[in-house]
Amino acid sequence: MTAARRWELRTTAPELAERYVVAGWWTDDTLGSMVADGLASAGAVDVRVHSAVRPWAGTIGNVDRAARALAAALQGDGVGQGDVVALQLPNWVEAAITFWAAAYLGATVVPVVHFYGPKEIGYILDVTDPAVVVTPDRFGPTDHLAMYEHLLADRPGVRWLVAAADPGVALPTRARPLTSLLDGEPLAALQPVDPAAPALVAFTSGTTSNPKGVIHSHRTIGCETRQLEERMPGGGPPLLVGAPVGHFIGMLSAFLVPLIRGEPIHMVDAWDPGNVLRLLKEHGLAFGGGATYFLTSLLDHPDFTEEHLAHMPTAGLGGSAVPAAVTQRATNLGITAFRAYGSTEHPSITGGSVHDPEAKRLHTDGRPAPGVEIQLTEEGEILSRGPDLCVGYTDPSLTAQAFDADGWYHTGDVGVLDDDGFLSISDRLSDIVIRGGENISAQEIEELVLRVPGVAEVAVVAAPDERLGEHAAAILRIVGESPAPSLDDLRAHLAGAGLAKQKWPESLYVVPDFPRTASGKIQKFKVRQQLRDGELA
């Protein structure tokens, strides 16, 4: 059974599909043809990886030659259209090589964020059943060789390729160095692919303890890539991509948008604000925006000077809460800030523009993107549909829950539309925290915190954070006279449970009781409001 059939993808109503095709939002382009078309005019353009451990410099043509060699080698090993290629790689050239090779084969790409550990990765392997996985030997504190040797032990059919392996490190028997597949004859021709077929599966934490696998087709990804390209102001220096390519927006920003524009690709594999400020000046690069944290980390760094403002003319902010204090601060410094709203499921729902009135740019999340429709329920929940909306989840039950019969996606976010059609996000129904652009499942943390002795109930909610947009706050009700755990106690417990560090709560509150519904359920929207109003101790 193919992955597409196993995942039970939703269908788009014929009248909507026709509208998207006629308007040009949907085309017959595939990821492979988008890459190939870009190479026709951008082959000599520079690619630069800024890294302390894996720097690289060359051209897009050099990367393409390696990608086509990898594609040919994988094809010779039986990998082709509909197979899954999963990669958990930093912003290295090997990520570009793997992404383009998979695109040429018509395979489905599964990018995995660098901080996911064995709990999340084991689930991803189960639901995607990849033909190929590509990993580093290690990155930062993570020993990928040890982790994947364990995870792949009972998956004998998976081909495991290791990028940038240290020559002095002995690879597990199952693993092959990626470099061993890059010197052969290149793939001669693209493989034909249905543009409505799955092209990419992006995993994101949601309201459940396991990450959600969001499936995009070649058409939805193509539309989103063009939306991104059109929203980015043109004419300036090349952008430095700091968002991890394990996030599909980072992947599109690094590996597809520059091909459309014919611009150099510059990536950094670790977001060190001081280093980023240095790179902007030394290489004449621009900062373009992203989650709130990326901007605030630069502005707050002691090395930041007015000289850097020439490299930060605009800042498109989204992917997490954007406090008005941040957009106003950017404006006061001469940075033209604007906001956008979307999700992994529907990446570009609304967006601002450098041409919008300042009040709209700073205090709203913009107007619907081309082809996108939104409506609000009586509760204020935002429903959306459009040509860049995903085709479902790897879990069919989630698809059934999130999409109605008319194709509307129920976002779980609450918003307000003003008289000019600008949207402002006011609250969240879905139980997630968006920390620096990363989705964190509150339920996943709560299930683990409830195992701490003395904890009777816990609510994990999003706390405002000027640097990150939001962070996870744990609000506890304690059993009787039991001592309350400290924040360090909670973190030690979560570390022992194998939860990724980015998901750990960063503030802790103890309450005698929670606001509740008539049935006794905790009213998290009230807890979030109490937190914002400073009413929790």
Side-chain angles (χ1 to χ4, degrees):
M1 182 184 295
T2 65
R5 289 180 60 193
R6 182 175 71 248
W7 293 331
E8 300 177 21
L9 305 181
R10 71 181 188 88
T11 57
T12 302
E15 61 271 18
L16 282 179
E18 182 180 4
R19 184 193 310 170
Y20 298 160
V21 170
V22 170
W25 298 315
W26 276 6
T27 70
D28 289 335
D29 288 336
T30 65
L31 290 187
S33 65
M34 291 176 70
V35 172
D37 290 346
L39 263 295
S41 58
V45 174
D46 289 339
V47 177
R48 186 85 179 251
V49 175
H50 304 277
S51 168
V53 296
R54 187 63 179 166
W56 192 89
T59 67
I60 287 178
N62 297 147
V63 180
D64 181 63
R65 172 63 176 78
R68 287 180 180 268
L70 176 59
L74 291 177
Q75 185 183 63
D77 200 23
V79 180
Q81 180 179 348
D83 286 324
V84 169
V85 175
L87 59 153
Q88 187 180 28
L89 290 171
N91 291 15
W92 291 349
V93 69
E94 288 84 0
I97 292 169
T98 304
F99 176 68
W100 290 354
Y104 283 143
L105 289 173
T108 302
V109 182
V110 178
V112 181
V113 292
H114 63 280
F115 66 80
Y116 271 1
K119 177 179 180 293
E120 296 96 342
I121 295 169
Y123 176 79
I124 291 171
L125 295 175
D126 284 341
V127 299
T128 63
D129 189 22
V132 182
V133 296
V134 186
T135 76
D137 57 355
R138 68 177 304 116
F139 182 65
T142 303
D143 183 344
H144 290 81
L145 296 184
M147 180 168 64
Y148 276 87
E149 185 173 25
H150 172 71
L151 289 170
L152 297 176
D154 59 350
R155 296 177 172 90
V158 180
R159 303 155 183 83
W160 180 15
L161 304 178
V162 178
D166 188 323
V169 175
L171 297 182
T173 305
R174 288 281 305 281
R176 297 178 63 186
L178 180 66
T179 52
S180 67
L181 303 181
L182 303 183
D183 294 329
E185 288 299 312
L187 188 73
L190 294 179
Q191 302 307 294
V193 182
D194 179 359
L200 186 147
V201 183
F203 280 85
T204 178
S205 294
T207 58
T208 58
S209 58
N210 288 318
K212 298 184 298 183
V214 180
I215 306 165
H216 278 276
S217 71
H218 293 269
R219 280 178 165 165
T220 65
I221 284 295
C223 177
E224 171 57 21
T225 301
R226 291 186 291 272
Q227 298 270 39
L228 284 175
E229 191 276 329
E230 290 168 5
R231 200 160 61 228
M232 294 178 179
L239 294 178
L240 176 64
V241 177
V245 297
H247 281 285
F248 85 104
I249 289 295
M251 182 167 279
L252 302 188
S253 298
F255 303 148
L256 285 182
V257 171
L259 296 184
I260 295 176
R261 294 189 156 203
E263 292 181 348
I265 298 173
H266 283 263
M267 298 184 289
V268 61
D269 66 349
W271 188 264
D272 177 324
N275 185 49
V276 170
L277 291 171
R278 178 184 63 81
L279 292 173
L280 296 181
K281 290 175 59 176
E282 288 187 6
H283 296 275
L285 305 177
F287 167 80
T292 305
Y293 165 72
F294 290 107
L295 175 62
T296 57
S297 68
L298 298 180
L299 300 183
D300 292 338
H301 196 273
D303 292 346
F304 175 78
T305 67
E306 289 190 5
E307 189 176 354
H308 289 102
L309 291 174
H311 302 271
M312 306 167 67
T314 64
L317 302 175
S320 64
V322 184
V326 172
T327 53
Q328 188 61 61
R329 179 185 181 188
T331 299
N332 294 343
L333 289 169
I335 301 170
T336 303
F338 56 96
R339 290 161 45 172
Y341 164 63
S343 63
T344 304
E345 291 87 345
H346 196 167
S348 293
I349 298 178
T350 63
S353 161
V354 295
H355 306 295
D356 289 334
E358 182 175 293
K360 304 292 190 183
R361 288 192 289 102
L362 303 192
H363 303 292
T364 80
D365 297 286
R367 287 181 284 196
V372 172
E373 303 169 84
I374 61 173
Q375 61 181 15
L376 304 182
T377 67
E378 291 183 1
E379 295 78 20
E381 183 184 7
I382 302 163
L383 310 186
S384 71
R385 65 184 184 186
D388 58 333
L389 179 60
C390 75
V391 294
Y393 295 102
T394 55
D395 182 344
S397 67
L398 293 179
T399 305
Q401 293 171 20
F403 298 90
D404 64 27
D406 295 319
W408 292 99
Y409 167 56
H410 292 242
T411 66
D413 295 320
V414 176
V416 177
L417 275 170
D418 68 17
D419 293 339
D420 299 315
F422 285 81
L423 180 72
S424 298
I425 310 303
S426 58
D427 204 347
R428 181 173 302 121
L429 296 178
S430 55
D431 206 5
I432 59 173
V433 178
I434 306 179
R435 178 191 185 275
E438 305 281 1
N439 281 15
I440 297 171
S441 165
Q443 180 181 333
E444 181 180 19
I445 303 171
E446 289 166 352
E447 290 175 355
L448 296 174
V449 171
L450 281 172
R451 301 176 190 174
V452 175
V455 175
E457 283 185 296
V458 57
V460 172
V461 299
D465 190 304
E466 288 193 3
R467 188 171 65 96
L468 300 165
E470 296 176 350
H471 68 247
I475 295 89
L476 310 181
R477 183 174 68 82
I478 303 301
V479 176
E481 300 299 321
S482 300
S486 68
L487 187 58
D488 286 341
D489 292 336
L490 284 191
R491 290 174 168 177
H493 172 78
L494 296 173
L499 189 70
K501 184 176 181 180
Q502 286 86 343
K503 301 181 181 181
W504 299 353
E506 295 174 65
S507 54
L508 173 66
Y509 303 85
V510 177
V511 296
D513 202 357
F514 291 99
R516 301 179 187 275
T517 65
S519 63
K521 184 178 179 180
I522 296 173
Q523 294 177 302
K524 281 199 168 180
F525 73 95
K526 290 188 176 180
V527 175
R528 284 193 290 269
Q529 192 60 52
Q530 289 174 341
L531 188 60
R532 294 177 190 141
D533 295 343
E535 297 176 2
L536 299 181

